[in-house]
Amino acid sequence: MTDAKETCSPHRRVLISAENLKIGGAVQVAASFLEELAKPTAAGTLIDRFSETGLDVGASTAVLDNLPEAARCKIPLIEKTQRRLPKFVHRRRERYSVTFRIFGPIYFGPRAQRSIMGFADITSLHPEVAGPLLSGKARLKFAIRRRISKWQFRRVNHIVVETPSVAHALAIKWRIDPTLISVVPNTLNTAFESSSNKATPTEGPGGRSEITIGYPTRPYPHKNLYRLAQAAAILHEKYAILPTLLLTVEPDEIRELPQNLRQLIMPIGTIRTSELPDYYRRCD
């Protein structure tokens, strides 16, 4: 019996790519998107709609680790095999009718008749929030990445962003046609659909001298972690409250942060989307 992928014309195949996503919130967004594709409904899954065209999905290990097993087994993942030639050589040989890169830029990928790409490269669009780049090597690397990102997003057929403000900035700063940009806002993850996972509002510290503040983030400059130190100082001076900052960062990632901020942080490392409800329950 002929394999389904072989019967599909290579010019009608669709690729959804999340292979470049290794850390940060983009991993959770990609995992949530793929989980929605595999979610069963009365009419089947969204993946079933690609039965005539063929669908390939490329995902990083980090994205797959955030997927429930029930969803993972339904997704037509691209098999990873040992090859003598570099990966990007093989990827460039492949052709698709449409590629959707959940978040770009992707430096090497297959050719396609139409290319759709999600945008979350805020520091390239707003370099002023990138923070100080101390070394010449870091400044050069950032300048090159910013140019590549701008060049690639101006060449794709359509861009998907999460907020209207980003769509507006792309149109003004990078002169991208607004009609080629769609806004798809974030929504509640399915991990919180269970009644046991719904957040319960608290009534504040209630006279306690210690509280826990959660911030699921990476220590990127544009995440403004320094403001947490300012807030902690206000809580301590005005209300005699000493906060602990429960951050989803690795211990070695906070070494470069200021001492007044570092001493407040309890780093718990990277967590999966399914672990977020428990994480929020630990916070005030």
Side-chain angles (χ1 to χ4, degrees), residues 2 5 12 25 38 48 59 66-67 80 86 97 114 135 138 143 147 152 166 183-184 189 210 218 221 262:
T2 306
K5 288 187 178 180
R12 296 187 63 202
D48 297 333
N66 276 272
L67 275 174
K80 297 181 179 179
S97 58
R114 290 187 60 81
S135 69
R147 286 179 179 272
Q152 191 170 105
V166 172
V183 178
V184 180
N189 190 276
E210 297 180 0
R218 311 300 295 189
R262 194 167 63 245

Side-chain angles (χ1 to χ4, degrees), residues 45 151 200 206:
T45 69
W151 173 80
T200 303

Side-chain angles (χ1 to χ4, degrees), residues 9-283:
S9 166
H11 298 291
R12 296 187 63 202
R13 291 162 60 207
V14 175
L15 171 69
I16 297 175
S17 178
E19 296 171 286
N20 62 318
L21 307 178
K22 307 295 175 60
I23 59 174
V27 170
Q28 278 74 30
V29 173
S32 296
F33 178 81
L34 295 178
E35 186 177 354
E36 288 296 319
L37 286 182
K39 182 182 292 185
T41 66
T45 69
L46 291 175
I47 292 175
D48 297 333
R49 300 186 183 184
F50 294 92
S51 59
E52 294 185 4
T53 59
L55 173 66
D56 288 341
V57 176
S60 66
T61 301
V63 172
L64 294 178
D65 284 345
N66 276 272
L67 275 174
E69 183 61 32
R72 194 185 312 179
C73 67
K74 295 178 182 178
I75 295 173
L77 293 170
I78 298 172
E79 292 185 5
K80 297 181 179 179
T81 58
Q82 295 295 326
R83 301 181 176 118
R84 292 182 180 179
L85 292 176
K87 177 181 176 181
F88 74 86
V89 174
H90 290 274
R91 301 293 277 144
R92 288 294 295 172
R93 288 178 176 176
E94 299 169 4
R95 293 188 180 186
Y96 290 89
S97 58
V98 178
T99 59
F100 173 44
R101 291 146 176 155
I102 295 179
F103 285 115
I106 294 179
Y107 302 108
F108 300 104
R111 290 168 288 181
Q113 295 173 7
R114 290 187 60 81
S115 178
I116 304 170
M117 191 178 294
F119 181 88
D121 190 7
I122 297 302
T123 54
S124 289
L125 184 60
H126 298 288
E128 65 276 9
V129 305
L133 302 172
L134 302 179
S135 69
K137 181 179 179 181
R139 289 195 297 270
L140 177 61
K141 183 178 179 181
F142 176 73
I144 293 174
R145 185 177 67 82
R146 186 168 176 244
R147 286 179 179 272
I148 291 175
S149 183
K150 181 179 180 180
W151 173 80
Q152 191 170 105
F153 278 102
R154 292 184 68 178
R155 292 180 72 242
V156 299
N157 298 104
H158 206 84
I159 299 173
V160 180
V161 300
E162 296 178 324
T163 65
S165 61
V166 172
H168 178 74
L170 284 171
I172 299 300
K173 289 193 168 189
W174 287 3
R175 298 181 179 178
I176 295 175
D177 185 347
T179 64
L180 302 180
I181 306 173
S182 294
V183 178
V184 180
N186 278 317
T187 187
L188 188 67
N189 190 276
T190 54
F192 297 93
E193 287 183 349
S194 169
S195 59
S196 61
N197 288 336
K198 292 181 179 178
T200 303
T202 61
E203 297 180 358
R208 289 179 293 150
S209 60
E210 297 180 0
I211 62 172
T212 299
I213 298 176
Y215 189 15
T217 184
R218 311 300 295 189
Y220 303 136
H222 65 280
K223 296 299 183 178
N224 298 318
L225 291 181
Y226 71 93
R227 294 191 182 277
L228 293 178
Q230 296 173 345
I234 294 173
L235 286 172
H236 183 65
E237 294 169 6
K238 289 191 174 184
Y239 306 102
I241 295 174
L242 182 63
T244 295
L245 306 179
L246 196 65
L247 269 57
T248 55
V249 297
E250 303 294 340
D252 60 345
E253 289 183 306
I254 65 174
R255 292 175 183 169
E256 303 301 321
L257 296 177
Q259 173 62 23
N260 66 328
L261 175 59
R262 194 167 63 245
Q263 65 185 5
L264 299 171
I265 295 175
M266 179 186 295
I268 63 172
T270 303
I271 63 175
R272 294 182 172 90
T273 304
S274 59
E275 298 171 321
L276 280 172
D278 287 334
Y279 168 78
Y280 286 124
R281 275 191 283 267
R282 296 173 61 183
C283 306

